[in-house]
Amino acid sequence: MAGIFKIVMKIKLDYPDDFHDYFSYRLVLILTCDRLLRQDKEMREYSMLAILVGLAIGIGLPMQTSINSRLRNSVGSPFGASLISFAVGTLFLAIMTLIDVHTLGFSTTLFTSQPVWIWLGGLLGVVYLTGNILLFPKLGSVQTVIMPVLGQILAGLLIDNFGWFDSPQSTLTMTRFLGAILVLAGVIITVAAQGWLEQRHNRITEIAEKDTATDTDQSGLGIWRALGVVAGMLSAMQTAVNGHLGRVLGSTVHAAFVSFLVGTLGLIVIVLVLRPQFKLIRPTKTPNPWWMWIGGMIGALYVLGNVYLVPVVGTGLAVVIVLVGLMAGSLMIDQFGWFASKKNPISGVQLMGLLVMIVGVVLIRVF
């Protein structure tokens, strides 16, 4: 009844002269209902596109991590690898921005009219990317993907619930909370199936495989896992910040470029202070692969996709959708041994874990 009342009141406001005419009223009612139905259909299609975009960029994220880890082995420095990755991504987004809005600049009034935090997305991305490069050799592919998940989901739902960073507010209901729990359960199932506790997917080096794990080693791994959680929380904040920047600039591509540019400038400062040794070596007897230079492009598409997602579905759901794609991408890397990774076939339990995660996403999305 409430929906019908709203439609009737809308008709009365839009067509005051015809409202009391019976035949005109029927025609206007039909036309208005048809318009509302078409708008609802368009919104559903828009949301479906957003989900597909989230899954796609999520699948690309573990690929970027593997690529950048390979780049680190060749240049000898995590900060050097991050700087190269960000520089490539910035150049890629600069070209896309020039095609889209024909300029790389923006109004200087934004520095006074907007909060300072809208410019911090790139720096948060630097922490997340560099953290992944550092975590990968310590925890392996799956855990490097999984540990930030706890922080991402927690921070994402809190941002949605309180509307932090001017994000679309969505109250944390029991159903949405249950959905988040199911997503985490799916993560745990997948990780356990991969032998998380036994570190079967730890890709540090052959020496690490021969060494006996000590209590000190385990406590060290605990610290790395905690850092992964913190990095995940910063990643969710980056998603919200860049989403707001996209609305301010009126262009998702332009916002992604600004974010990457800020990250690149931040890394330049870090490199100038730390002065890491740059060198291009061959970690193996084979030549360095060409694909180790494209991690920045994948990262650029990841940031661009998140800038697009947040205004459509909110920070919390954007994080969760990307997470499902991220898990799928991580398992595909293990299954096929992409980017010089060790092959580890996917098990039925892992697929069940992904299914549980998808159910959790549905609960969060629908309710």
Side-chain angles (χ1 to χ4, degrees):
M1 291 299 295
I4 296 175
F5 177 75
K6 290 181 180 179
I7 293 176
V8 173
M9 292 304 298
K10 182 174 180 59
I11 295 172
K12 187 173 183 179
L13 291 174
D14 292 346
Y15 309 96
D17 297 333
D18 298 329
F19 183 74
H20 295 291
D21 184 270
Y22 176 72
F23 295 102
S24 297
Y25 163 73
R26 292 186 62 187
L27 177 61
V28 171
L29 179 62
I30 292 173
L31 292 176
T32 302
C33 290
D34 178 69
R35 182 177 62 185
L36 293 176
L37 289 173
R38 281 188 284 108
Q39 289 176 348
D40 181 68
K41 181 180 179 182
E42 291 174 356
M43 286 302 299
R44 289 178 180 273
E45 293 176 350
Y46 201 44
S47 297
M48 181 58 65
L49 176 62
I51 291 175
L52 294 177
V53 168
L55 292 175
I57 64 175
I59 289 173
L61 189 58
M63 297 181 183
Q64 181 201 17
T65 300
S66 299
I67 290 171
N68 286 340
S69 294
R70 179 61 177 80
L71 179 63
R72 178 201 176 179
N73 292 336
S74 294
V75 301
S77 167
F79 294 105
S82 293
L83 178 57
I84 293 173
S85 181
F86 261 80
V88 171
T90 301
L91 179 60
F92 173 69
L93 287 171
I95 297 173
M96 293 185 63
T97 302
L98 289 173
I99 295 174
D100 182 39
V101 296
H102 311 296
T103 181
L104 298 179
F106 50 84
S107 175
T108 56
T109 59
L110 294 178
F111 289 110
T112 56
S113 62
Q114 295 294 326
V116 176
W117 51 257
I118 70 170
W119 311 108
L120 300 181
L123 297 180
L124 295 174
V126 168
V127 176
Y128 181 65
L129 175 62
T130 307
N132 274 340
I133 294 176
L134 293 172
L135 289 173
F136 188 81
K138 299 295 182 181
L139 301 179
S141 175
V142 174
Q143 288 194 60
T144 299
V145 169
I146 296 306
M147 297 318 300
V149 166
L150 300 176
Q152 286 176 332
I153 292 181
L154 175 61
L157 292 179
L158 288 175
I159 289 171
D160 270 1
N161 186 67
F162 296 104
W164 293 339
F165 307 112
D166 287 337
S167 296
Q169 191 168 0
S170 180
T171 305
L172 180 60
T173 62
M174 285 301 299
T175 305
R176 288 172 60 84
F177 181 74
L178 176 60
I181 294 298
L182 285 178
V183 172
L184 289 176
V187 170
I188 293 173
I189 291 172
T190 304
V191 172
Q194 285 295 98
W196 185 13
L197 297 177
E198 294 78 16
Q199 302 174 30
R200 290 162 56 187
H201 282 273
N202 192 334
R203 299 172 181 169
I204 300 177
T205 58
E206 292 181 0
I207 296 177
E209 293 176 0
K210 296 178 182 179
D211 290 340
T212 302
T214 63
D215 293 339
T216 303
D217 295 332
Q218 293 300 319
S219 63
L221 287 177
I223 294 175
W224 285 110
R225 288 165 181 162
L227 291 176
V229 173
V230 173
M233 297 183 71
L234 296 179
S235 174
M237 295 178 188
Q238 179 200 16
T239 298
V241 168
N242 287 340
H244 179 68
L245 181 61
R247 292 193 296 271
V248 170
L249 295 178
S251 169
T252 56
V253 178
H254 201 176
F257 164 73
V258 171
S259 177
F260 253 73
L261 179 61
V262 171
T264 301
L265 295 176
L267 277 168
I268 290 175
V269 173
I270 293 174
V271 168
L272 289 176
V273 172
L274 298 180
R275 295 185 179 181
Q277 183 180 2
F278 283 92
K279 55 183 178 179
L280 187 60
I281 62 174
R282 295 182 178 181
T284 61
K285 296 181 180 180
T286 59
N288 289 318
W290 62 269
W291 46 259
M292 76 178 190
W293 304 104
I294 66 171
M297 295 177 62
I298 298 177
L301 293 175
Y302 172 77
V303 172
L304 179 60
N306 273 312
V307 174
Y308 165 78
L309 280 176
V310 172
V312 179
V313 299
T315 303
L317 182 57
V319 167
V320 172
I321 293 174
V322 171
L323 168 62
V324 175
L326 184 148
M327 285 298 304
S330 179
L331 292 178
M332 283 192 290
I333 290 175
D334 280 352
Q335 172 71 22
F336 300 107
W338 291 340
F339 310 115
S341 297
K342 181 182 177 182
K343 286 187 178 181
N344 293 285
I346 300 174
S347 67
V349 177
Q350 290 174 302
L351 293 178
M352 183 180 69
L354 280 178
L355 179 61
V356 172
M357 292 173 64
I358 292 172
V359 173
V361 171
V362 172
L363 288 178
I364 297 174
R365 178 69 185 92
V366 176
F367 300 98

